[in-house]
Amino acid sequence: MCIPTSENPNSYFGYVIQTPRALHYLLEGAKIVSVESKDDISAIGSDDKLIVVEQIKDKNTNFSNCSEDFWCTFANWINRYKENKDKFTNRTQFVIFSNRKQQLKKDYFIDLCNNAQNDEESKKCIATIKDTFSSTNLKIKQCFNVFIDEQNKDVVINIIRNFSYQVPNGGIFEDVKNKIQELHSENRNTEELRMKMLGWINEKIYDKENDKIRKFDLSQADFRNYLDNNKNLKLALIDDVSEFDLEEAHKQYFYRQLGLIERGEELKRLDCRDYYRWLVTRAKEEEKGKFTKKEFDEMYRAVYEKWLEDREYLFSINSIENDINKGKRLYNCSIENKSIKIGNTSFDDSPQEVARGICNFLANDNSETQNYSIGWHPDYKRLLNEVDND
């Protein structure tokens, strides 16, 4: 039997703090994190036993001795323990997590339970509560009767011994971000990773049709698989290009395009570096087989379509400028593209370095990307064709 608390969720967005708490336990390594199952949040370990059951509070409450939040939570824990004995152990943690960071008042029932560290202290806590309890609230009295029932004595002792009242260290979302920084600091944008993780959980637990949280089991295996498939890419490390590479680049179509817009020598060196970085990165990813040809094509098409839009817009508003300046504007705009990604995978590098490498790759008149060929000077095809025919 579950006794409704005063904070049973109706709207998902009113109780969205379950998402970062679920993420917290996934980051801690729980095998399964359940939402709205044994409690607001519950976590199962590798032995398929409950590590923790957690009740989340997101309103101001003093957890007084006549607090429905306190009494209903404990009564529900007792009943669930009895109904699912095979899932609980003497190490299962029982947590009330308050997002409001309220401090417990000394000698309140919840404070006594929070300070009990072993069976003897738990028994003393129970005795004190029995002697001093007083309430005319029928729901609270119903919960109290569950608490003092002799048949539940061992269960109550176990719950109190493993009970804790917890609050965020900084803020509930800040704590998760710090945990991610601790575990996944390798060349990642922590904020972006946090949003991806929370978004993945939201997608699983949010019943959009009814605007509420649904019961859902989040597995560590699915979580890890999601992370593996959404790691950001990093361009292959090339600090600079060799003289040989530069000499080879001079023969390439993309390099001659840069000449048409009178790109400076030092800037062309950066362009060549990022062009080669993209060639190495693409080869490595193709070898791994992580991305399909379709996903590469979709990325190239997105870059190409943005180039088309930028060209039309920039050439129209700068119609009185000479063609070289038009080409410079188009090139500079294209390498500022910050939204390049393969499938759902972004890049850890500077967006400009990524865009510079890929744009020059598409500007190289490759047979495999001929449908997405781009250029800078308004008349680059004719001019370069004339050079080739000379």
Side-chain angles (χ1 to χ4, degrees):
M1 177 185 66
C2 179
I3 302 169
T5 69
S6 59
E7 220 172 283
N8 277 346
N10 292 315
S11 168
Y12 167 74
F13 289 103
Y15 300 90
V16 73
I17 58 171
Q18 284 173 261
T19 305
R21 291 306 292 167
L23 178 55
H24 167 81
Y25 288 112
L26 284 171
L27 291 170
E28 289 283 316
K31 181 179 179 180
I32 296 174
V33 176
S34 298
V35 178
E36 292 295 318
S37 179
K38 300 296 185 291
D39 214 320
D40 288 341
I41 298 291
S42 56
I44 290 175
S46 57
D47 59 357
D48 293 324
K49 303 293 184 181
L50 281 161
I51 301 169
V52 63
V53 290
E54 179 172 295
Q55 178 72 201
I56 302 172
K57 303 299 178 186
D58 190 38
K59 67 174 187 177
N60 290 314
T61 178
N62 59 11
F63 294 107
S64 71
N65 292 349
C66 293
S67 163
E68 285 191 14
D69 285 323
F70 171 76
W71 280 110
C72 292
T73 296
F74 262 74
N76 286 331
W77 282 343
I78 295 165
N79 288 328
R80 286 168 181 151
Y81 196 118
K82 290 163 58 182
E83 293 164 2
N84 302 273
K85 283 185 178 180
D86 61 320
K87 288 293 184 183
F88 288 86
T89 73
N90 60 7
R91 299 183 305 279
T92 301
Q93 300 297 304
F94 298 84
V95 177
I96 289 179
F97 183 91
S98 174
N99 192 38
R100 300 291 180 173
K101 294 189 177 183
Q102 290 111 313
Q103 297 300 311
L104 300 181
K105 291 190 177 180
K106 185 174 175 56
D107 295 332
Y108 270 18
F109 293 164
I110 189 172
D111 181 54
L112 296 176
C113 293
N114 191 49
N115 289 320
Q117 301 298 312
N118 53 50
D119 286 357
E120 286 306 310
E121 291 177 1
S122 298
K123 290 175 183 177
K124 290 179 181 178
C125 174
I126 293 169
T128 300
I129 291 173
K130 283 182 178 180
D131 290 342
T132 56
F133 174 82
S134 176
S135 177
T136 58
N137 183 299
L138 292 178
K139 184 190 286 187
I140 291 176
K141 290 175 72 174
Q142 179 188 4
C143 295
F144 178 70
N145 289 333
V146 174
F147 184 84
I148 64 173
D149 189 332
E150 279 297 312
Q151 294 182 358
N152 299 333
K153 182 178 178 180
D154 291 341
V155 173
V156 175
I157 291 172
N158 197 43
I159 290 174
I160 293 177
R161 185 185 66 246
N162 293 315
F163 169 74
S164 63
Y165 172 79
Q166 298 179 15
V167 298
N169 291 321
I172 191 167
F173 289 97
E174 182 184 347
D175 287 357
V176 165
K177 184 176 180 179
N178 291 339
K179 190 69 176 177
I180 294 170
Q181 179 65 45
E182 175 188 335
L183 297 174
H184 299 278
S185 60
E186 71 288 354
N187 300 316
R188 286 177 181 263
N189 181 321
T190 304
E191 177 61 18
E192 181 183 353
L193 187 57
R194 179 179 74 95
M195 295 304 294
K196 283 184 176 181
M197 290 176 174
L198 292 172
W200 179 77
I201 295 174
N202 285 342
E203 191 176 282
K204 302 290 185 184
I205 70 174
Y206 176 38
D207 180 352
K208 186 175 182 180
E209 183 177 344
N210 297 303
D211 186 29
K212 67 178 184 180
I213 293 174
R214 62 162 65 98
K215 288 185 179 181
F216 200 92
D217 292 336
L218 302 160
S219 77
Q220 185 70 217
D222 288 346
F223 181 58
R224 291 292 167 187
N225 185 56
Y226 169 78
L227 292 183
D228 288 342
N229 289 331
N230 285 272
K231 284 182 178 178
N232 289 357
L233 290 176
K234 191 169 183 65
L235 286 177
L237 182 59
I238 299 176
D239 291 330
D240 199 2
V241 287
S242 67
E243 293 305 317
F244 174 79
D245 288 333
L246 277 177
E247 187 176 333
E248 287 298 306
H250 290 177
K251 307 172 187 177
Q252 300 296 319
Y253 195 82
F254 85 89
Y255 193 87
R256 289 186 285 160
Q257 286 221 52
L258 297 173
L260 291 180
I261 59 172
E262 299 180 355
R263 186 92 165 142
E265 290 304 315
E266 286 304 311
L267 292 176
K268 281 196 287 189
R269 194 179 189 94
L270 288 178
D271 298 329
C272 289
R273 181 201 66 182
D274 291 338
Y275 166 78
Y276 283 117
R277 289 179 76 188
W278 172 246
L279 289 186
V280 175
T281 302
R282 182 193 60 149
K284 286 183 176 180
E285 294 306 320
E286 286 180 343
E287 183 179 347
K288 292 177 186 175
K290 179 178 177 181
F291 303 106
T292 64
K293 182 179 184 302
K294 180 181 178 183
E295 287 176 309
F296 276 107
D297 284 347
E298 287 175 349
M299 177 192 67
Y300 294 143
R301 182 171 61 251
V303 174
Y304 172 75
E305 289 175 350
K306 184 179 185 305
W307 170 80
L308 283 176
E309 293 175 4
D310 292 339
R311 184 181 64 170
E312 181 179 359
Y313 174 71
L314 290 171
F315 286 2
S316 65
I317 65 171
N318 297 287
S319 58
I320 63 173
E321 289 196 356
N322 63 51
D323 286 349
I324 292 174
N325 285 339
K326 289 179 185 176
K328 286 180 178 179
R329 288 185 183 278
L330 179 56
Y331 183 79
N332 289 331
C333 180
S334 295
I335 64 174
E336 289 295 330
N337 187 348
K338 298 180 180 179
S339 59
I340 297 178
K341 58 174 61 177
I342 308 176
N344 293 320
T345 303
S346 302
F347 291 83
D348 280 326
D349 299 82
S350 161
Q352 189 175 71
E353 293 176 6
V354 175
R356 191 157 47 204
I358 293 174
C359 284
N360 279 294
F361 176 71
L362 294 182
N364 202 39
D365 197 26
N366 309 290
S367 58
E368 64 183 280
T369 57
Q370 60 183 350
N371 293 330
Y372 314 119
S373 293
I374 61 179
W376 319 119
H377 190 286
D379 203 19
Y380 74 92
K381 288 184 179 180
R382 182 186 62 81
L383 292 173
L384 292 178
N385 186 56
E386 288 180 356
V387 171
D388 289 339
N389 291 331
D390 286 345

